[in-house]
Structure formats: structure tokens, C-alpha cells
Amino acid sequence: MASIAYNFGEKISVELAYLGFKRNGSLQIEETIEFGDETFDVDELIESKFNVDIYRLAFNYHFFQSPNWTLGAALGVHITDFDIGISAPERMISEEVDQIAPVPYLALNAEYRFYDRWQLGGSIEYFSLRAGDSDGSLVNITAGIDYSFSDSMGLGFAYNLYDLSVNSDSLTDDLAGEFQYQYSGPLVYIRVGF
């Protein structure tokens, strides 16, 4: 993960962040899968890819600041680019879907500076929407520790839980149903501010 922030005074900042995941696998399937225009049969060996790029833009307002504490709220957008593909190498067929999902969110965040250049921090981002035959939600929770090399650069380690789900009868022209993407695990990140 990488992020960059620009501070407009002490209370307002804008942050841009990026996080990417690349997953590939193969499996002999136990049930028929219909994906896009292709059908993958029982006992067929398939190869899959699941690549996700998450871009986040946030406008932060720090409503409480003390020498050790900063509490704030944010309004932002997650722009998630999914590249999902399935292939059956023996039959030389494949199907791929590339979908971009922009999701706005609200967030609360806190930082506690406990020793010189060390601080603990966390954030909770949430959004939920129901419209017509579609509904979706985003939950992104992060808690971690940062070390600042200088006033504008630092390194951090965090634990992150990310859950994006969409249910629809018409996600795209070729794809309908339920989509859920969950990730939880450690993050190492670089923080740069101006």
C-alpha cells in the first residue's frame, strides 16, 4: 500500500492511496460454472485470475487535535478495478470481466502519538446503498503503528479488513448475481505528506 497526503493547514487534508492484489489459481471444479458467455463443466480443470486495484481519494477534516491525539472524519471514494478471468486450457476457452466500481464512503479516524516519532492509528470506512434491484456495501477497517522518519515521511505496519459486496440482477450486460470480495491481513506501507 502507498499513500500520499497534502495538508491544507492543520485541520484539512487530502489523501490519495493505492492498494493492489493479484491472485491466480487452478482447480478441478465440482459443479458447473457459468461465467459470462462460457460454461465450465463438472470435473474440468480451470485456471483463474483475480486482480484487484483499489484507489482511494479522501478529504479529511481533523475536528480534534492535541499534542498526542488527532480525531477526524473523512468523505471519500474507493475506485476498485476488478480483472476477473476463468479459462479451461484443455478446451482452449476463456472468459474475462474487467469492471470498475466507484464507491463513496464516510470514515472516522484516530491517531495517538505515544513516543517521539511513533504513533498508533486506525480508521473505519463504511458505505451502504440500495437502489432498484441492486444493493451493496463497503467496510474497510485498519489499525496500525507508524514510525515517522521526518515530518513528511514514515513507514507503517497495520492490520486491514476489507469487505466489498454487491448483489444485483444486472451488474453488467453479461454478469449478474452476487459478488463479495473480502480481504483481511497485514499491510506494510509508506506514508508521504506535504
Side-chain angles (χ1 to χ4, degrees), residues 2-16 60 62 150-154 190-194:
S3 70
I4 188 166
Y6 183 80
N7 297 310
F8 295 93
E10 292 185 16
K11 291 200 174 274
I12 298 173
S13 65
V14 175
E15 179 185 15
L16 181 63
N60 299 297
H62 310 289
S150 67
D151 290 340
S152 61
M153 186 169 215
I190 297 171
R191 184 177 41 81
V192 178
F194 298 97

Side-chain angles (χ1 to χ4, degrees), residues 22 25 28 47 69 72 90 104 109 112 118-119 121 129 136 138 144-145 149 162-163 176 181 187 193-194:
K22 310 292 183 213
Q28 188 168 351
E47 295 178 352
W69 281 96
E90 289 182 10
N109 50 61
Y112 175 69
W118 290 91
Q119 67 185 22
L129 177 68
L138 167 74
I145 186 168
F149 299 113
Y162 184 89
D163 185 344
Y181 177 68
L187 291 174
F194 298 97

